[in-house]
Amino acid sequence: MKKISVAVVGATGMVGRTFLKVLEEEKLPVDKYYLFASKRSAGQKINFMGEEHVIEELTETSFDRGIDIALFSAGGSTSEKFAPIAASKGCIVVDNSSAWRMDENVPLVVPEVNPEDIKKNKGIIANPNCSTIQAMVALKPLDDKYKIKRIVYSTYQAVSGAGMGGWSDLENGLKGEAPQKFPHPIANNCLPHIDSFLDNGYTKEEMKMVNETRKILGRDDIAITATTVRVPVFNSHSESINLEFHNSFDLKELVEVLKNAPGVVVQDDPENNVYPMAITATGSNDTYVGRIRRDFSVENGVNLWVVADNIRKGAAANAVQIAQKLIEYMND
Ligand code: 25A
Ligand code: L14
């Protein structure tokens, strides 16, 4: 086995801390870890893998010591600048930001969906947007079987998606304090506004769902629309997904397809009030699907309710799963 070293960039953030938790749980065959953040956190000590690790400031020379894999979650501008530097030193970057996702030289990967794309990397692999990842885990097996024609996404997104600042806005907002991260109070409110607005009236988050879905499924012809909404939930994103297929389907068979899909847990027993919920998805790396019902307003339609931990499957766990596969390939 090759000796592998892994860096975590943005180790002190919401996603970065979860990287560390998931890495401890998954016990990857890694010999050495390096933890980076901005200057603000340099020198801070973090207990990780039973040892004390010191946070280092990320600089242009950070990757000069033969680091094999770097998990980045320090925002778009940090990734834009430092991912190419890391790649030029022979490191493979798994990047959580939106900076590289639509670059044609960068694979956009959900391991249950398109693991084969990992091998096509030229030094940077992008982790999709959190809302897109959980949708892909549920939709890929249905697309393979029934061929998706159109998707309507409506999301109910947790504040943890906006990092530490989003979390504080809800926590402090519940005590009556004014928001700092969001443009309006999020406590007792819903904001149909995630990331910035574009000229076409959609938000960036909505267009990420549209474009990333097409790239990951390799299906530019699917008609997709999305409305993404921030709700006063600390963690885990919920999504209403309305699908139309080209092929007809049997509902019972469709449920079986989902039950057999990797990474999916079906929770669908309305008589007993069983359906996916944010509070039960939190802490898990799986994607939960329920409220599975035929859409009687169109010919081959179905409605789904899809919930996952946005910081785990939507970010850290997905990236660690990619790293796991990378290490397997390095040892092949
Ligand atoms: O808008 P952007 O640039 O795209 O960034 C979006 C933000 O979303 C989060 C992440 O916030 C990011 O900053 N994020 C990114 N991907 C995400 C995803 N998939 C995501 N959230 C959800 N899902 P965060 O606060 O959770 O994490 C930021 C981490 O990045 C480190 N960092 C920032 N700039 C860096 C850098 N690391 C290296 N080089 C740089 N130039 C950051 O480290 C953190 O680990 P830090 O040292 O800057 O932060 C340590 C602590 O400081 C607090 N803090 C954060 N921002 C501020 C702040 N304090 C004061 N003012 C601030 N502006 C935090 O408590 C943090 O723990
Ligand atoms: O593109 O604020 O991955 O909930 C993920 C979190 C964009 C913003 C991304 C949020 C970000 C989003």
Side-chain angles (χ1 to χ4, degrees), residues 129-199:
N129 170 262
C130 38
S131 302
T132 311
I133 293 177
Q134 67 186 72
M136 291 302 93
V137 174
L139 299 197
K140 170 66 175 171
L142 301 180
D143 186 43
D144 284 348
K145 184 113 186 141
Y146 308 114
K147 198 163 183 215
I148 296 171
K149 185 173 162 191
R150 178 168 187 254
I151 307 173
V152 181
Y153 289 126
S154 310
T155 71
Y156 303 69
Q157 296 185 217
V159 294
S160 60
M164 303 274 193
W167 191 286
S168 307
D169 263 19
L170 178 54
E171 205 165 54
N172 299 333
L174 290 169
K175 296 182 224 150
E177 290 173 29
Q180 291 190 0
K181 171 84 184 177
F182 301 126
H184 302 284
I186 185 61
N188 298 311
N189 208 3
C190 296
L191 306 177
H193 175 187
I194 297 180
D195 211 335
S196 45
F197 283 100
L198 300 166
D199 288 343

Side-chain angles (χ1 to χ4, degrees), residues 102-119:
M102 295 313 295
D103 187 306
E104 58 182 32
N105 291 312
V106 174
L108 186 60
V109 176
V110 180
E112 292 90 339
V113 175
N114 57 340
E116 65 286 352
D117 287 348
I118 292 174
K119 285 190 176 165

Side-chain angles (χ1 to χ4, degrees), residues 96 98 101 128-130 157-158 161-162 194-195 205 208 230 237:
N96 237 302
S98 57
R101 290 180 191 148
N129 170 262
C130 38
Q157 296 185 217
I194 297 180
D195 211 335
E205 182 77 352
K208 284 180 239 171
R230 184 85 60 199
H237 290 352

